Amino acid sequence: MNTDFRAGFSGVISGLFFSAVILSHFIILANGDSQIACGQRAVSVKTSQSRIVGGRDAVEGAWPWQVSLQVISKQAHVCGATVISQWWLLSAAHCFPSTNGLNNKSHWRAVMGLRDLSIYSEWTITRKIDALILHEKYNNIQNDIAVLKVDRVIGFGDYIRAACLPKPDKFHIEKWNHCHVTGWGLMEQNGAPTRILQEAGVKLISLETCQQVNWYGSSVTDKMICAGFAGGGIDACQGDSGGPLSCQLKGTERFYVVGVVSWGQGCAQRFKPGVYTSTSIYGDWIEQKTGILISQSEDAGVEFDNGDSGAESLEEKQSVPTPVSYGVEQPISLVRRNSPGRSIPLLNLIIVLYHFCS
């Protein structure tokens, strides 16, 4: 580039303007796009039809809304969760039992941008929990849903993004395809947990089928979703609880968290698929607790501002209720399924601009 810095005032202004444009470009590369749509992945991924129980490692960045909820004192993964905004996570109420004090928000931390539980990448972030809100009518396997507010804004990029939330309504199987469950749960029933995030392609199963006597009978309600296979073999397991059942809305590339990993009888057994809390049924509740305007999304997703000012204005508008807990132990027969670009220092930016413009 043959820029003559000895030009007149107009040339200087033009040069400064051009430099500002280039600077803004580098800032976007450093901090991530300012507007990132929910439910869209930055990486191209051919997802699997393999199992979490004995399954396949997920590709880095394949599920950027996946969260590991960890007990701080043990620094151990306990449950999964889903990023649904820059301030809020979605999980299962049974992950926070009152019997051992885990209904106290101070015991938890949320880790995002994570694939290997033992390796924190440069984009991995950790947040404390500012508010833990369980459904007021949570009881055993009923109303098994919770939302968590983090203590600091979550910056979005290639490896950390929000899943879309379906519009509050009755769940309709025919609207969804390419469903996957993800998590760090056991590789097999009574087996060992995985260190690497696992993914499994699952099939949505109708309520009528799942309510058959030799399946789950009346234990499954219209507030739940069954997903898996009649013959078993593919399923979530303990340690996957609270994580997302992610499905694509037909005709789009967006993933929605249509279910929250909740319960099942054993893991990957015949006629015993995974059972998930239906997020569309609880859309109004999520909206009320978080202030996220799901009902206005028209199932087209929403965009989240990746700037502190936007996040602050959102927080000011939201009234966070006092955290409550209604933890109840589960029956023994049921099994709980318990990118940002690199940071570029200012000096490096100046050096890049100097070389670019000289």
Side-chain angles (χ1 to χ4, degrees), residues 52-349:
I52 288 188
V53 177
R56 164 176 164 170
D57 296 350
V59 174
E60 190 84 73
W63 309 103
W65 40 86
Q66 177 76 47
V67 180
S68 170
L69 290 179
Q70 304 181 357
V71 175
I72 295 174
S73 60
K74 298 181 179 180
Q75 295 188 5
H77 169 85
V78 175
C79 275
T82 306
V83 178
I84 55 174
S85 84
Q86 290 189 289
W87 287 99
W88 291 94
L89 312 176
L90 180 68
S91 191
H94 80 260
C95 287
F96 313 99
S98 58
T99 51
N100 56 8
L102 291 183
N103 60 327
N104 187 328
K105 65 181 183 180
S106 64
H107 287 310
W108 294 90
R109 70 178 183 183
V111 186
M112 289 145 284
L114 196 59
R115 176 177 177 267
D116 187 328
L117 289 174
S118 64
I119 300 175
Y120 280 36
S121 304
E122 59 186 286
W123 50 78
T124 303
I125 63 171
T126 301
R127 294 289 184 267
K128 294 179 181 178
I129 305 305
D130 189 54
L132 171 58
I133 306 169
L134 278 60
H135 195 284
E136 295 80 3
K137 295 183 179 180
Y138 164 63
N139 183 3
N140 201 359
I141 59 175
Q142 306 300 324
N143 304 301
D144 189 15
I145 193 166
V147 288
L148 300 85
K149 183 175 182 290
V150 295
D151 65 330
R152 288 181 291 136
V153 69
I154 300 169
F156 290 161
D158 287 352
Y159 299 97
I160 303 174
R161 295 186 174 190
C164 298
L165 285 163
K167 190 175 179 180
D169 196 2
K170 181 180 178 181
F171 181 74
H172 299 283
I173 286 182
E174 64 276 6
K175 290 174 60 175
W176 309 99
N177 57 18
H178 304 304
C179 296
H180 284 76
V181 58
T182 50
W184 290 275
L186 301 187
M187 301 289 281
E188 61 182 1
Q189 188 173 340
N190 301 318
T194 178
R195 198 184 76 238
I196 308 295
L197 180 66
Q198 300 291 297
E199 63 176 23
V202 291
K203 180 181 178 182
L204 296 176
I205 298 170
S206 71
L207 184 63
E208 293 73 22
T209 298
C210 211
Q211 287 179 331
Q212 293 180 98
V213 175
N214 61 328
W215 288 55
Y216 283 125
S218 60
S219 295
V220 172
T221 73
D222 60 2
K223 294 182 178 180
M224 303 173 187
I225 298 171
C226 290
F229 296 90
I234 300 177
D235 198 6
C237 204
Q238 294 98 317
D240 295 319
S241 285
L245 173 62
S246 304
C247 299
Q248 279 185 319
L249 180 66
K250 288 183 178 179
T252 77
E253 295 297 318
R254 292 180 188 265
F255 278 95
Y256 289 70
V257 53
V258 302
V260 176
V261 179
S262 183
W263 62 277
Q265 185 171 321
C267 299
Q269 294 183 12
R270 192 166 181 256
F271 301 144
K272 305 298 178 186
V275 185
Y276 303 78
T277 304
S278 174
T279 55
S280 59
I281 295 296
Y282 291 93
D284 290 333
W285 182 85
I286 295 171
E287 218 177 43
Q288 177 190 357
K289 300 302 178 184
T290 67
I292 300 172
L293 302 179
I294 313 167
S295 59
Q296 298 181 11
S297 70
E298 297 297 334
D299 276 342
V302 294
E303 290 186 346
F304 299 105
D305 185 11
N306 189 29
D308 290 342
S309 59
E312 287 169 1
S313 62
L314 174 62
E315 187 179 26
E316 287 170 3
K317 293 176 184 177
Q318 292 173 172
S319 175
V320 181
T322 303
V324 294
S325 175
Y326 299 84
V328 178
E329 287 299 307
Q330 69 273 18
I332 252 174
S333 60
L334 300 179
V335 177
R336 297 298 191 183
R337 314 291 200 199
N338 285 350
S339 101
R342 299 183 178 183
S343 176
I344 302 178
L346 180 59
L347 179 59
N348 288 354
L349 280 172

